[in-house]
């Protein structure tokens, strides 16, 4: 597992430690981290502070995003996939898409290369959370 996915997992664990949903994200350009973040919907009482959005906010205005790679511990949802497409990010590396399939087809249909690493660690993190917090998870994915 590469250092960037490890950093995204660390971000996810930080969110869980704070009582939130364990999803983390890292934005990388040419081997350097530009931003990182985690799902803060619970902590910030903000329905759109998903991990990828928090990561992009933390990266700030970087000009073009076309030569960046977005790492996420979970396949991005449509909200986050929309941001990826809007900003022209051409590659997304997801830790897993088993617990949530996300918007992979949408990303690919819009020219984004998607790599699903199918990592046991990411799946376990999400399964454990979902089993302990099914209502919060349903809220996060808009199924309440």
């Amino acid at each position: 597992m590469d250092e960037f996915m490890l950093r995204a997992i660390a971000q996810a664990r930080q969110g869980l430690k704070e009582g939130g949903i364990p999803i983390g994200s890292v934005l990388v350009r040419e081997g350097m981290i530009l931003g990182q973040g985690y799902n803060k919907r619970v902590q910030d009482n903000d329905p759109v502070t998903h991990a990828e959005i928090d990561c992009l906010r933390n990266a700030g205005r970087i000009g073009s995003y076309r030569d960046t790679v977005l790492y996420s511990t979970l396949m991005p949802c449509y909200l986050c996939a929309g941001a990826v497409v809007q900003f022209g990010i051409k590659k997304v590396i997801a830790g897993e898409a088993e617990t949530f399939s996300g918007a992979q087809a949408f990303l690919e249909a819009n020219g984004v290369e998607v790599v699903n690493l199918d990592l046991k660690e990411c799946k376990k993190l999400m399964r454990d959370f979902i089993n302990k917090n099914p209502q919060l998870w349903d809220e996060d994915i808009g199924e309440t």
Side-chain angles (χ1 to χ4, degrees):
M1 188 179 330
D2 74 31
E3 65 181 292
F4 305 120
M5 185 54 70
L6 288 172
R7 183 70 67 94
I9 291 169
Q11 289 291 297
R13 291 192 186 287
Q14 180 62 37
L16 182 62
K17 183 178 175 183
E18 293 177 9
I21 298 162
I23 305 168
S25 185
V26 174
L27 185 68
V28 177
R29 176 187 285 148
E30 297 177 0
M32 295 189 59
I33 293 175
L34 302 176
Q36 57 189 350
Y38 52 94
N39 187 305
K40 293 181 181 170
R41 293 183 70 253
V42 174
Q43 299 92 316
D44 291 354
N45 193 33
D46 181 347
V48 296
T49 308
H50 289 204
E52 299 86 349
I53 301 301
D54 188 48
C55 175
L56 291 169
R57 283 180 177 154
N58 290 332
R61 295 178 59 224
I62 62 168
S64 175
Y65 294 80
R66 295 190 192 286
D67 57 349
T68 62
V69 177
L70 184 72
Y71 286 75
S72 183
T73 57
L74 186 64
M75 187 63 68
C77 69
Y78 282 94
L79 170 71
C80 299
V84 167
V85 171
Q86 178 69 32
F87 292 115
I89 297 169
K90 294 299 181 192
K91 186 172 186 177
V92 170
I93 300 177
E96 66 107 346
E98 189 173 299
T99 60
F100 179 72
S101 59
Q104 182 172 347
F106 171 81
L107 287 164
E108 291 171 340
N110 283 279
V112 178
E113 177 188 356
V114 179
V115 178
N116 177 4
L117 298 176
D118 196 37
L119 297 173
K120 290 179 184 178
E121 185 172 358
C122 292
K123 289 189 275 190
K124 180 173 176 14
L125 193 60
M126 287 308 301
R127 279 192 193 115
D128 290 350
F129 176 80
I130 292 167
N131 288 335
K132 292 177 185 172
N133 304 282
Q135 290 178 303
L136 183 55
W137 176 242
D138 286 347
E139 177 190 323
D140 191 64
I141 60 173
E143 294 197 4
T144 54

